[in-house]
Amino acid sequence: SSPLMEQLNFFHDHTLLILTMITILVGYIMGMLMFNKFTNRFLLHGQTIEIIWTVLPAIILMFIAFPSLRLLYLMDEINTPSITLKSIGHQWYWSYEYSDFLNLEFDSYMIPTNELETNGFRLLDVDNRVVLPMNNQIRILVTATDVLHSWTVPSLGVKVDATPGRLNQINFLINRPGLFFGQCSEICG
């Protein structure tokens, strides 16, 4: 639902492909060593093979590290936001303030299971939802009042910790319209 989440999925697939190739190669070599009766006495001792099995993993790690660093910088990039939302984590609810508008703030509580409609999502639906525009840069300022929280929307690839006395920020862009559920993903308190 966001360009950031697309990049996270591409990085996951890239890393999984590298790990699959490593697993297949190591499995093949182990199988050949266990089921082969012939042994090359020069294979296990020698400076050339030691250089190869030292340099090759370093090169493979660079193929994982460079895309990871690129993605890390993309996640931390600050663009000019069109709208700013302040999110304050409390013990069992979140408070939201639209900073660009005068006096627009509300609390968002989870709907109890006994009051939930038949098509509602248990432990995800809230009484007051946050409405954000699509195709605009959005900045979320996150803090907490009591204990550690984590403001997370997995389908947008957004996760930021809410710490009492500290103001954290994250930027993102929503690609498509929809209803995106977030959850607190920390063991609070």
Side-chain angles (χ1 to χ4, degrees), residues 31-65:
M32 291 304 293
L33 284 174
M34 286 194 312
F35 297 115
N36 193 354
K37 294 179 184 175
F38 304 110
T39 315
N40 185 353
R41 65 185 179 116
F42 298 110
L43 180 66
L44 300 177
H45 297 287
Q47 194 170 10
T48 308
I49 191 70
E50 289 179 7
I51 289 173
I52 290 172
W53 71 43
T54 303
V55 171
L56 191 63
I59 292 171
I60 291 171
L61 284 176
M62 284 193 300
F63 273 103
I64 295 174

Short mmCIF file of all heavy atoms in Angstrom, two decimals, residues 31-65:
data_model
loop_
_atom_site.label_atom_id
_atom_site.label_comp_id
_atom_site.label_asym_id
_atom_site.label_seq_id
_atom_site.Cartn_x
_atom_site.Cartn_y
_atom_site.Cartn_z
N GLY A 31 26.05 -33.30 0.88
CA GLY A 31 25.61 -34.57 0.33
C GLY A 31 26.69 -35.27 -0.46
O GLY A 31 26.87 -36.49 -0.35
N MET A 32 27.45 -34.49 -1.23
CA MET A 32 28.53 -35.09 -2.00
C MET A 32 29.64 -35.61 -1.09
O MET A 32 30.25 -36.65 -1.37
CB MET A 32 29.10 -34.07 -3.00
CG MET A 32 28.15 -33.72 -4.13
SD MET A 32 27.57 -35.14 -5.05
CE MET A 32 29.06 -35.68 -5.82
N LEU A 33 29.91 -34.89 0.01
CA LEU A 33 30.95 -35.35 0.93
C LEU A 33 30.52 -36.62 1.67
O LEU A 33 31.35 -37.49 1.96
CB LEU A 33 31.29 -34.26 1.95
CG LEU A 33 32.16 -33.12 1.43
CD1 LEU A 33 32.29 -32.04 2.49
CD2 LEU A 33 33.54 -33.63 1.03
N MET A 34 29.23 -36.74 1.98
CA MET A 34 28.77 -37.91 2.73
C MET A 34 28.64 -39.15 1.84
O MET A 34 28.90 -40.27 2.30
CB MET A 34 27.43 -37.61 3.40
CG MET A 34 27.57 -36.69 4.59
SD MET A 34 26.15 -36.57 5.67
CE MET A 34 24.80 -36.30 4.60
N PHE A 35 28.24 -38.99 0.60
CA PHE A 35 27.94 -40.15 -0.24
C PHE A 35 29.01 -40.44 -1.28
O PHE A 35 28.88 -41.37 -2.05
CB PHE A 35 26.59 -39.96 -0.93
CG PHE A 35 25.45 -39.88 0.05
CD1 PHE A 35 24.71 -38.71 0.17
CD2 PHE A 35 25.13 -40.96 0.85
CE1 PHE A 35 23.67 -38.63 1.07
CE2 PHE A 35 24.08 -40.88 1.76
CZ PHE A 35 23.36 -39.71 1.87
N ASN A 36 30.07 -39.66 -1.30
CA ASN A 36 31.15 -39.89 -2.26
C ASN A 36 32.26 -40.68 -1.58
O ASN A 36 32.72 -40.33 -0.50
CB ASN A 36 31.68 -38.54 -2.75
CG ASN A 36 32.57 -38.71 -3.97
OD1 ASN A 36 32.86 -39.82 -4.37
ND2 ASN A 36 32.99 -37.59 -4.52
N LYS A 37 32.72 -41.74 -2.21
CA LYS A 37 33.78 -42.56 -1.64
C LYS A 37 35.16 -41.99 -1.93
O LYS A 37 36.12 -42.29 -1.24
CB LYS A 37 33.69 -43.99 -2.18
CG LYS A 37 32.44 -44.71 -1.76
CD LYS A 37 32.43 -46.09 -2.35
CE LYS A 37 31.11 -46.77 -1.99
NZ LYS A 37 30.99 -48.06 -2.63
N PHE A 38 35.24 -41.20 -2.97
CA PHE A 38 36.54 -40.66 -3.37
C PHE A 38 36.77 -39.30 -2.71
O PHE A 38 35.87 -38.48 -2.62
CB PHE A 38 36.61 -40.51 -4.89
CG PHE A 38 36.32 -41.80 -5.61
CD1 PHE A 38 35.15 -41.97 -6.33
CD2 PHE A 38 37.23 -42.85 -5.54
CE1 PHE A 38 34.88 -43.16 -6.97
CE2 PHE A 38 36.97 -44.04 -6.18
CZ PHE A 38 35.79 -44.20 -6.90
N THR A 39 37.97 -39.05 -2.26
CA THR A 39 38.31 -37.80 -1.61
C THR A 39 39.52 -37.19 -2.29
O THR A 39 40.50 -37.89 -2.58
CB THR A 39 38.66 -38.03 -0.12
OG1 THR A 39 37.70 -38.90 0.45
CG2 THR A 39 38.65 -36.72 0.63
N ASN A 40 39.44 -35.90 -2.54
CA ASN A 40 40.57 -35.18 -3.09
C ASN A 40 41.39 -34.66 -1.93
O ASN A 40 40.93 -33.83 -1.16
CB ASN A 40 40.07 -34.02 -3.97
CG ASN A 40 41.20 -33.31 -4.68
OD1 ASN A 40 42.37 -33.59 -4.41
ND2 ASN A 40 40.84 -32.41 -5.56
N ARG A 41 42.63 -35.16 -1.80
CA ARG A 41 43.43 -34.78 -0.63
C ARG A 41 43.88 -33.33 -0.68
O ARG A 41 44.28 -32.78 0.32
CB ARG A 41 44.61 -35.72 -0.47
CG ARG A 41 45.62 -35.65 -1.58
CD ARG A 41 46.69 -36.71 -1.38
NE ARG A 41 47.65 -36.66 -2.48
CZ ARG A 41 48.91 -36.36 -2.33
NH1 ARG A 41 49.38 -36.10 -1.12
NH2 ARG A 41 49.72 -36.32 -3.36
N PHE A 42 43.82 -32.69 -1.84
CA PHE A 42 44.23 -31.29 -1.95
C PHE A 42 43.05 -30.33 -1.73
O PHE A 42 43.24 -29.13 -1.70
CB PHE A 42 44.83 -31.02 -3.34
CG PHE A 42 46.07 -31.83 -3.59
CD1 PHE A 42 46.06 -32.87 -4.51
CD2 PHE A 42 47.22 -31.56 -2.88
CE1 PHE A 42 47.19 -33.62 -4.73
CE2 PHE A 42 48.37 -32.32 -3.11
CZ PHE A 42 48.35 -33.36 -4.04
N LEU A 43 41.84 -30.86 -1.58
CA LEU A 43 40.66 -30.01 -1.43
C LEU A 43 40.57 -29.39 -0.04
O LEU A 43 40.17 -28.25 0.11
CB LEU A 43 39.39 -30.82 -1.73
CG LEU A 43 38.08 -30.04 -1.60
CD1 LEU A 43 38.02 -28.97 -2.67
CD2 LEU A 43 36.90 -30.96 -1.71
N LEU A 44 40.96 -30.14 0.99
CA LEU A 44 40.77 -29.67 2.35
C LEU A 44 41.96 -28.88 2.89
O LEU A 44 41.86 -28.25 3.93
CB LEU A 44 40.46 -30.85 3.27
CG LEU A 44 39.20 -31.63 2.89
CD1 LEU A 44 39.03 -32.82 3.81
CD2 LEU A 44 37.99 -30.73 2.96
N HIS A 45 43.09 -28.93 2.22
CA HIS A 45 44.27 -28.18 2.68
C HIS A 45 44.79 -27.37 1.51
O HIS A 45 45.01 -27.88 0.41
CB HIS A 45 45.37 -29.11 3.16
CG HIS A 45 44.97 -29.93 4.35
ND1 HIS A 45 44.84 -29.38 5.59
CD2 HIS A 45 44.66 -31.25 4.47
CE1 HIS A 45 44.47 -30.32 6.44
NE2 HIS A 45 44.34 -31.46 5.79
N GLY A 46 44.97 -26.10 1.74
CA GLY A 46 45.52 -25.27 0.67
C GLY A 46 45.11 -23.82 0.85
O GLY A 46 44.01 -23.52 1.33
N GLN A 47 46.01 -22.96 0.47
CA GLN A 47 45.77 -21.54 0.65
C GLN A 47 44.69 -21.03 -0.30
O GLN A 47 43.90 -20.16 0.07
CB GLN A 47 47.08 -20.78 0.43
CG GLN A 47 47.03 -19.37 0.92
CD GLN A 47 48.40 -18.72 0.91
OE1 GLN A 47 49.35 -19.26 0.36
NE2 GLN A 47 48.49 -17.56 1.52
N THR A 48 44.59 -21.58 -1.47
CA THR A 48 43.62 -21.10 -2.46
C THR A 48 42.19 -21.34 -1.99
O THR A 48 41.36 -20.43 -2.04
CB THR A 48 43.84 -21.81 -3.81
OG1 THR A 48 45.21 -21.69 -4.16
CG2 THR A 48 42.98 -21.20 -4.87
N ILE A 49 41.91 -22.54 -1.51
CA ILE A 49 40.54 -22.84 -1.07
C ILE A 49 40.18 -22.04 0.18
O ILE A 49 39.04 -21.60 0.35
CB ILE A 49 40.34 -24.36 -0.85
CG1 ILE A 49 38.86 -24.70 -0.67
CG2 ILE A 49 41.12 -24.85 0.34
CD1 ILE A 49 38.05 -24.55 -1.91
N GLU A 50 41.16 -21.77 1.06
CA GLU A 50 40.89 -20.96 2.24
C GLU A 50 40.57 -19.52 1.88
O GLU A 50 39.73 -18.88 2.50
CB GLU A 50 42.06 -21.04 3.23
CG GLU A 50 42.15 -22.40 3.90
CD GLU A 50 43.32 -22.50 4.86
OE1 GLU A 50 43.98 -21.48 5.10
OE2 GLU A 50 43.56 -23.61 5.35
N ILE A 51 41.25 -19.00 0.88
CA ILE A 51 40.95 -17.64 0.40
C ILE A 51 39.55 -17.60 -0.19
O ILE A 51 38.77 -16.68 0.07
CB ILE A 51 42.01 -17.18 -0.62
CG1 ILE A 51 43.34 -16.92 0.09
CG2 ILE A 51 41.55 -15.93 -1.37
CD1 ILE A 51 44.48 -16.63 -0.84
N ILE A 52 39.19 -18.63 -0.95
CA ILE A 52 37.86 -18.66 -1.58
C ILE A 52 36.77 -18.72 -0.53
O ILE A 52 35.80 -17.97 -0.57
CB ILE A 52 37.76 -19.86 -2.56
CG1 ILE A 52 38.65 -19.60 -3.78
CG2 ILE A 52 36.33 -20.10 -2.98
CD1 ILE A 52 38.78 -20.77 -4.71
N TRP A 53 36.90 -19.61 0.48
CA TRP A 53 35.80 -19.71 1.44
C TRP A 53 35.84 -18.61 2.50
O TRP A 53 35.00 -18.56 3.38
CB TRP A 53 35.66 -21.09 2.02
CG TRP A 53 36.69 -21.61 2.98
CD1 TRP A 53 37.27 -20.97 4.02
CD2 TRP A 53 37.21 -22.93 3.01
NE1 TRP A 53 38.13 -21.78 4.67
CE2 TRP A 53 38.12 -23.00 4.07
CE3 TRP A 53 37.00 -24.05 2.22
CZ2 TRP A 53 38.82 -24.16 4.37
CZ3 TRP A 53 37.71 -25.20 2.55
CH2 TRP A 53 38.59 -25.25 3.60
N THR A 54 36.81 -17.71 2.41
CA THR A 54 36.79 -16.50 3.25
C THR A 54 36.23 -15.31 2.47
O THR A 54 35.44 -14.53 3.01
CB THR A 54 38.22 -16.18 3.74
OG1 THR A 54 38.72 -17.30 4.45
CG2 THR A 54 38.21 -14.97 4.65
N VAL A 55 36.62 -15.15 1.23
CA VAL A 55 36.21 -13.99 0.43
C VAL A 55 34.78 -14.14 -0.08
O VAL A 55 34.02 -13.15 -0.10
CB VAL A 55 37.20 -13.79 -0.74
CG1 VAL A 55 36.71 -12.74 -1.71
CG2 VAL A 55 38.58 -13.41 -0.20
N LEU A 56 34.40 -15.34 -0.47
CA LEU A 56 33.05 -15.54 -1.02
C LEU A 56 31.93 -15.17 -0.04
O LEU A 56 31.00 -14.45 -0.42
CB LEU A 56 32.90 -16.98 -1.51
CG LEU A 56 31.67 -17.28 -2.35
CD1 LEU A 56 31.70 -16.47 -3.64
CD2 LEU A 56 31.56 -18.75 -2.65
N PRO A 57 31.97 -15.57 1.23
CA PRO A 57 30.93 -15.11 2.16
C PRO A 57 30.92 -13.59 2.37
O PRO A 57 29.87 -12.99 2.54
CB PRO A 57 31.25 -15.83 3.47
CG PRO A 57 31.99 -17.03 3.05
CD PRO A 57 32.78 -16.63 1.85
N ALA A 58 32.10 -12.96 2.32
CA ALA A 58 32.16 -11.51 2.45
C ALA A 58 31.47 -10.83 1.28
O ALA A 58 30.73 -9.85 1.45
CB ALA A 58 33.60 -11.04 2.57
N ILE A 59 31.65 -11.35 0.09
CA ILE A 59 30.98 -10.79 -1.09
C ILE A 59 29.48 -11.00 -1.00
O ILE A 59 28.69 -10.10 -1.31
CB ILE A 59 31.57 -11.42 -2.38
CG1 ILE A 59 33.02 -10.96 -2.56
CG2 ILE A 59 30.74 -11.05 -3.60
CD1 ILE A 59 33.76 -11.68 -3.66
N ILE A 60 29.06 -12.17 -0.56
CA ILE A 60 27.63 -12.45 -0.40
C ILE A 60 27.01 -11.52 0.63
O ILE A 60 25.90 -11.00 0.43
CB ILE A 60 27.42 -13.94 -0.03
CG1 ILE A 60 27.78 -14.83 -1.22
CG2 ILE A 60 25.98 -14.19 0.39
CD1 ILE A 60 27.81 -16.31 -0.90
N LEU A 61 27.72 -11.27 1.74
CA LEU A 61 27.20 -10.34 2.74
C LEU A 61 27.07 -8.92 2.20
O LEU A 61 26.15 -8.20 2.58
CB LEU A 61 28.11 -10.36 3.98
CG LEU A 61 27.96 -11.56 4.89
CD1 LEU A 61 28.98 -11.51 6.02
CD2 LEU A 61 26.56 -11.65 5.44
N MET A 62 27.96 -8.53 1.29
CA MET A 62 27.83 -7.20 0.68
C MET A 62 26.60 -7.13 -0.22
O MET A 62 25.94 -6.09 -0.28
CB MET A 62 29.10 -6.85 -0.11
CG MET A 62 30.25 -6.47 0.80
SD MET A 62 31.63 -5.71 -0.05
CE MET A 62 32.14 -6.96 -1.18
N PHE A 63 26.27 -8.23 -0.90
CA PHE A 63 25.05 -8.25 -1.71
C PHE A 63 23.79 -8.14 -0.87
O PHE A 63 22.74 -7.76 -1.37
CB PHE A 63 24.99 -9.54 -2.56
CG PHE A 63 25.70 -9.42 -3.87
CD1 PHE A 63 26.96 -9.99 -4.04
CD2 PHE A 63 25.14 -8.72 -4.92
CE1 PHE A 63 27.62 -9.88 -5.24
CE2 PHE A 63 25.79 -8.60 -6.12
CZ PHE A 63 27.05 -9.18 -6.29
N ILE A 64 23.87 -8.48 0.41
CA ILE A 64 22.74 -8.29 1.31
C ILE A 64 22.80 -6.92 1.99
O ILE A 64 21.78 -6.26 2.17
CB ILE A 64 22.71 -9.42 2.37
CG1 ILE A 64 22.44 -10.77 1.69
CG2 ILE A 64 21.65 -9.15 3.42
CD1 ILE A 64 22.54 -11.95 2.62
N ALA A 65 24.00 -6.47 2.35
CA ALA A 65 24.14 -5.24 3.14
C ALA A 65 23.83 -3.98 2.34
O ALA A 65 23.17 -3.07 2.86
CB ALA A 65 25.56 -5.15 3.70
#
